[in-house]
Amino acid sequence: QVQLVESGGGWVQAGGSLTLSCAASGRTFSSYAVGWFRQAPGKEREFVAAINWSGGGVNYADSVKGRFTLSRDNGKNTVYLQMNSLKPEDAAVYYCAASYTGWSSDPTEYDYWGQGTQVTVSS
């Protein structure tokens, strides 16, 4: 069992930066890939980025490539999503999720989800 708690969301002006954290409980966290997804009002949940168990492999959605950086510290059971050059269209609730099978962009492949953290970007 893995429990995930996101933090770091908030309000930022366009062009600004935020760093989201996903803290996990459970001794086997290092065995899981972690993905970030986001959902804006009236829209479907969309993939943002995913990282494999070791941190050696990372996958980004085209919409965030070059602006977001995903990393993990297995010693701290935490995954970090550094978000730079934020745009109004990045505003959403951001969720982290853990997958035992791989670092996929498909949300159905994730086994555990956090409650989400709100990111608001003003123009």
Side-chain angles (χ1 to χ4, degrees):
Q1 189 82 5
V2 176
Q3 292 184 321
L4 305 172
V5 178
E6 303 96 336
S7 62
W11 177 88
V12 65
Q13 286 190 321
S17 299
L18 283 174
T19 299
L20 305 184
S21 297
C22 175
S25 62
R27 291 176 292 176
T28 61
F29 175 67
S30 59
S31 300
Y32 287 81
V34 174
W36 282 91
F37 296 80
R38 65 188 182 188
Q39 188 166 18
K43 296 187 177 181
E44 292 188 354
R45 189 168 297 190
E46 67 170 346
F47 170 74
V48 176
I51 190 166
N52 71 351
W53 67 273
S54 69
V58 185
N59 183 28
Y60 296 97
D62 288 342
S63 59
V64 307
K65 202 170 292 184
R67 300 188 297 123
F68 290 12
T69 302
L70 185 57
S71 61
R72 69 188 296 163
D73 184 339
N74 285 338
K76 296 182 178 180
N77 277 9
T78 303
V79 172
Y80 304 97
L81 182 65
Q82 172 70 42
M83 306 187 296
N84 297 326
S85 303
L86 283 162
K87 305 175 181 180
E89 52 264 42
D90 293 318
V93 177
Y94 282 70
Y95 300 89
C96 67
S99 170
Y100 195 69
T101 56
W103 39 308
S104 170
S105 61
D106 182 352
T108 66
E109 296 194 14
Y110 287 80
D111 308 294
Y112 304 101
W113 290 82
Q115 294 299 306
T117 185
Q118 177 73 51
V119 172
T120 303
V121 184
S122 65
S123 57

